[in-house]
Amino acid sequence: MLTNLHVKNLALIEEADVEFGPGLNILTGETGAGKSILLGSINLALGKKMTKEIIRDGADSALVELIFHIENAAIRQKLEEMEVELPDEQLIITRKLSGGRSISRINGESCTMGRLKEVSSLLLDIHGQHDHQSLLYKEKQLEILDSFGKSVLKDTLEKVEKEWKEYRGLKKELAEYQLGEEERAREISFLEFEINEIDEAELIPGEEEELEKRYRIMNNSRTIVQSLGLVYQLTGSGEGAGDLCGRAVRELSTVAEYDESLKGLQDTLMDVDAILADFNRDISRYLDDFTFSEKEFYETESRLDQINHLKSKFGNSTEEILKAREKKQQRLDTLMNYEVIRKNLEQKTEEAEKLLLKSSEKLSELRRECAGKLTLEIIKGLKDLNFLDVRFEIGFSRTADYGRNGFDVVEFRISTNPGEAIRPLDRVVSGGELSRIMLAIRTILADQDDTETLIFDEIDTGISGRTAQKVSEKMAEIGRNHQVLCITHLAQIAAMADRHFEIRKMVEDQETLTRIYPLSEAESVKELARILGGAEITSAVENTAREMRELAKKTKL
């Protein structure tokens, strides 16, 4: 469960630290006090998109931190499978917002938004003010049914999705394979031309590098010959370095016999003279052998032009050109065997569709069984929420084609008053009724999974009186098996609180601040009286508030 929420420099909140407990945690406050900011901070911590305007004026950054104590063994096992460590069964999620950027961490380790959402989905479920509107969409209704029956449907759903992907891929391939005779003939002719063009070149891997080396030498032959001629002259006989070095050797030899220490210098100089002589001979041989014909130069240049032309069309190297040729040959083989391959594809697509149809029919059958059970659960839940004479059913129809979830379209239908025909939700219910229906469904789904914490933001929209009392009793019921955080403006729901928090907006030093206060029993009664009495709180209103608290405690026994 969520044990602690820490918020710093977020919108109107300078700094807030809230410790939540098990059961029903109620948050109340004046309109505009910042109740939505509190829920928004939790959403931000869990990866919701943000804007830099959310950071409090005058602050460089904002921080939200959530601390969870993981009591459920199934959740702990799932987190361990995700390699999330739980020291002392505790998990800490933090998100720091700075400018237009944010950094999220799980137990101090940075993580991606994807991983953050994956982990947080195991920890809590948030139902916002407008989420119940999604209940009007058939896609959401199918999602609810599948979530309710996931233990029964899981394997078949996965099988259907796998077979649908296979079927979709074959259909796409077959659609792309529909070519007219003229178009196919043109493509065959063009492929044969390109393949022949590559084959005629008789490319050899590594050939291009050798050709470029030879071309570079031949193209710079004049410069090479002139430079080497000068080098030969400078290092050879006459006035070159070779002649001068020989004279130096002879001169040094005449004095070396007088001083043995000069013998080493004489040997070194003789080695230099020998190296120069060898070097001069090598240059001479290179110049003697350095001949090529204009024909050879032209052939080399033409061959490089041919290779570069193929590179401009098929790839950046000989290897890539040859790979392109292989692909074109495969495409040509396909087109030459067009009818055989097309018929084979048609057969595979037909077989894949038969498998998908069979699995989708099985899935639909299982869904109908789950729908019957869900219908009974929803009717029971609606009666608990003051739908006294309600009829509810889940209708089925089929899509024109298959989807990843099969072919089922489900439709929630309801009649909330005696004598009224049963109709789709979007043609019958009011906002308050829709909110209660979603609450009933959320209660049912919460019992189907291991989520420990449920958050409801003004689930009481559009209700009052006896209905509000029924909703409060339902919230208390959920709170027996789950931690519930509920933002409300109704006294009936607030009276059921196991822990009651007041959100206040105030002005300090010409700054508007939002603060959150845990309330004692006496303070909770006063807050209930404020909700009941409005501007003036009389002793009679306070007595009513006190009585509501006492009745709520008895209800929860």
Side-chain angles (χ1 to χ4, degrees):
M1 69 176 182
L2 178 62
T3 59
N4 183 271
L5 166 66
H6 181 73
V7 183
K8 187 173 182 180
N9 293 330
L10 193 70
L12 296 178
I13 300 177
E14 183 178 38
E15 189 161 13
D17 197 78
V18 190
E19 291 187 6
F20 297 110
L24 186 55
N25 295 259
I26 294 292
L27 299 103
T28 59
E30 294 277 8
T31 300
K35 298 188 291 296
S36 59
I37 296 174
L38 186 71
L39 180 63
S41 67
I42 295 174
N43 273 317
L44 277 174
L46 301 181
K48 184 178 179 182
K49 289 184 179 180
M50 55 147 286
T51 60
K52 61 183 179 181
E53 287 76 18
I54 197 72
I55 300 174
R56 181 174 171 78
D57 289 343
D60 295 327
S61 62
L63 176 72
V64 184
E65 180 180 78
L66 306 177
I67 301 177
F68 294 87
H69 182 68
I70 312 301
E71 299 174 343
N72 188 290
I75 296 297
R76 286 203 299 269
Q77 182 178 346
K78 289 177 183 177
L79 290 170
E80 286 172 6
E81 290 171 359
M82 295 166 65
E83 299 182 350
V84 177
E85 295 183 0
L86 297 172
D88 301 322
E89 298 181 351
Q90 192 175 76
L91 187 147
I92 301 174
I93 292 176
T94 59
R95 190 177 183 196
K96 185 175 182 180
L97 318 172
S98 180
R101 302 180 60 189
S102 68
I103 299 175
S104 297
R105 290 186 171 87
I106 297 175
N107 284 346
E109 293 186 6
S110 299
C111 65
T112 63
M113 283 294 109
R115 181 166 174 80
L116 179 63
K117 291 177 180 178
E118 185 181 14
V119 170
S120 63
S121 67
L122 300 174
L123 305 177
L124 49 74
D125 185 13
I126 299 177
H127 180 71
Q129 293 182 46
H130 307 294
D131 286 353
H132 58 274
Q133 294 293 331
S134 65
L135 190 56
L136 299 176
Y137 299 107
K138 292 177 182 178
E139 295 83 358
K140 181 65 175 180
Q141 295 169 8
L142 180 64
E143 182 185 321
I144 289 169
L145 176 58
D146 286 350
S147 181
F148 173 78
K150 63 182 178 182
S151 60
V152 176
L153 304 174
K154 182 176 180 292
D155 291 343
T156 309
L157 270 168
E158 290 176 355
K159 189 170 186 289
V160 166
E161 182 173 8
K162 180 181 177 183
E163 290 174 354
W164 170 74
K165 287 179 179 177
E166 177 71 18
Y167 170 67
R168 183 185 61 170
L170 287 167
K171 272 190 72 176
K172 183 180 179 182
E173 189 177 351
L174 186 59
E176 292 173 349
Y177 208 70
Q178 304 302 321
L179 290 175
E181 191 63 33
E182 288 187 12
E183 186 180 356
R184 184 161 65 96
R186 281 197 302 271
E187 188 175 353
I188 288 173
S189 176
F190 187 62
L191 285 169
E192 287 176 336
F193 170 78
E194 290 189 317
I195 290 170
N196 186 58
E197 185 179 20
I198 295 172
D199 288 347
E200 284 183 348
E202 297 181 342
L203 297 174
I204 302 170
E207 175 191 17
E208 184 183 6
E209 291 78 3
E210 184 62 32
L211 286 170
E212 286 178 344
K213 180 180 175 182
R214 285 164 52 193
Y215 178 79
R216 190 166 52 249
I217 292 172
M218 288 187 284
N219 196 43
N220 294 281
S221 58
R222 183 183 297 275
T223 303
I224 292 171
V225 169
Q226 287 178 346
S227 294
L228 287 183
L230 179 60
V231 171
Y232 179 77
Q233 182 182 343
L234 292 172
T235 58
S237 57
E239 292 298 319
D243 184 60
L244 294 173
C245 190
R247 287 170 57 188
V249 168
R250 290 191 296 273
E251 189 67 30
L252 186 58
S253 64
T254 60
V255 295
E257 60 181 287
Y258 303 125
D259 187 348
E260 289 185 1
S261 64
L262 296 175
K263 186 71 168 114
L265 293 175
Q266 183 185 15
D267 292 342
T268 300
L269 191 56
M270 289 176 69
D271 289 340
V272 171
D273 185 49
I275 290 170
L276 273 173
D278 291 341
F279 176 77
N280 209 244
R281 281 192 296 272
D282 289 342
I283 287 181
S284 179
R285 279 195 296 269
Y286 183 93
L287 287 170
D288 290 340
D289 296 338
F290 191 77
T291 58
F292 68 90
S293 66
E294 289 294 330
K295 179 182 177 183
E296 182 184 2
F297 179 73
Y298 172 75
E299 288 174 349
T300 302
E301 187 175 44
S302 297
R303 181 61 170 168
L304 282 172
D305 286 343
Q306 183 183 27
I307 293 173
N308 286 327
H309 172 69
L310 293 175
K311 282 170 64 178
S312 69
K313 292 177 66 176
F314 305 116
N316 295 319
S317 65
T318 300
E319 289 76 11
E320 287 187 18
I321 295 170
L322 294 174
K323 285 180 182 178
R325 191 255 182 233
E326 185 179 347
K327 288 182 179 179
K328 290 178 185 300
Q329 185 64 55
Q330 290 173 354
R331 176 61 177 167
L332 180 60
D333 293 341
T334 298
L335 292 174
M336 296 297 285
N337 298 281
Y338 178 79
E339 288 300 328
V340 174
I341 294 173
R342 184 176 61 80
K343 287 179 181 178
N344 185 42
L345 263 178
E346 286 175 345
Q347 184 179 348
K348 282 185 177 180
T349 305
E350 187 178 335
E351 290 171 356
E353 184 177 8
K354 287 179 181 178
L355 288 175
L356 179 57
L357 174 61
K358 185 177 179 180
S359 297
S360 296
E361 287 175 338
K362 181 183 178 182
L363 177 60
S364 184
E365 183 181 339
L366 292 172
R367 275 182 175 142
R368 290 171 191 270
E369 293 175 7
C370 292
K373 296 176 183 177
L374 178 58
T375 296
L376 294 176
E377 292 277 356
I378 289 177
I379 290 172
K380 180 179 180 299
L382 292 176
K383 287 182 176 179
D384 290 343
L385 291 170
N386 211 33
F387 284 92
L388 301 179
D389 195 346
V390 64
R391 288 182 296 149
F392 184 88
E393 68 179 28
I394 300 175
F396 280 78
S397 59
R398 283 186 58 161
T399 56
D401 199 0
Y402 300 93
R404 65 174 65 251
N405 296 314
F407 54 57
D408 283 326
V409 176
V410 303
E411 184 177 64
F412 288 3
R413 302 167 186 158
I414 194 168
S415 170
T416 58
N417 296 301
E420 281 188 354
I422 196 163
R423 293 189 181 95
L425 285 184
D426 60 349
R427 294 171 55 189
V428 179
V429 296
S430 65
E433 287 174 326
L434 196 59
S435 183
R436 280 185 285 158
I437 295 169
M438 180 58 95
L439 175 58
I441 291 171
R442 286 276 177 167
T443 305
I444 295 164
L445 296 182
D447 292 335
Q448 297 292 316
D449 59 33
D450 301 307
T451 306
E452 293 184 345
T453 300
L454 304 175
I455 300 178
F456 295 98
D457 181 19
E458 299 192 12
I459 193 71
D460 48 30
T461 300
I463 63 173
S464 60
R466 179 61 181 157
T467 301
Q469 180 61 33
K470 285 290 187 178
V471 170
S472 72
E473 292 170 5
K474 177 60 71 174
M475 299 295 286
E477 180 187 337
I478 300 172
R480 291 192 180 100
N481 300 313
H482 300 271
Q483 180 194 41
V484 179
L485 276 61
C486 178
I487 297 173
T488 184
H489 63 274
L490 287 183
Q492 291 95 327
I493 295 177
M496 287 287 182
D498 295 311
R499 290 197 175 197
H500 192 172
F501 300 87
E502 182 187 359
I503 302 174
R504 300 177 195 163
K505 185 165 70 173
M506 57 191 65
V507 177
E508 291 183 2
D509 298 327
Q510 296 184 334
E511 281 191 306
T512 304
L513 303 173
T514 289
R515 290 197 172 143
I516 305 161
Y517 297 91
L519 303 181
S520 65
E521 179 64 25
E523 290 169 334
S524 180
V525 170
K526 285 185 177 181
E527 174 64 3
L528 289 178
R530 181 197 65 76
I531 296 171
L532 289 168
E536 184 178 355
I537 301 174
T538 64
S539 58
V541 173
E542 282 199 14
N543 289 335
T544 301
R546 194 173 292 108
E547 185 179 358
M548 288 180 71
R549 279 292 289 168
E550 293 301 322
L551 288 172
K553 290 176 184 177
K554 290 178 182 178
T555 302
K556 291 192 291 183
L557 290 176

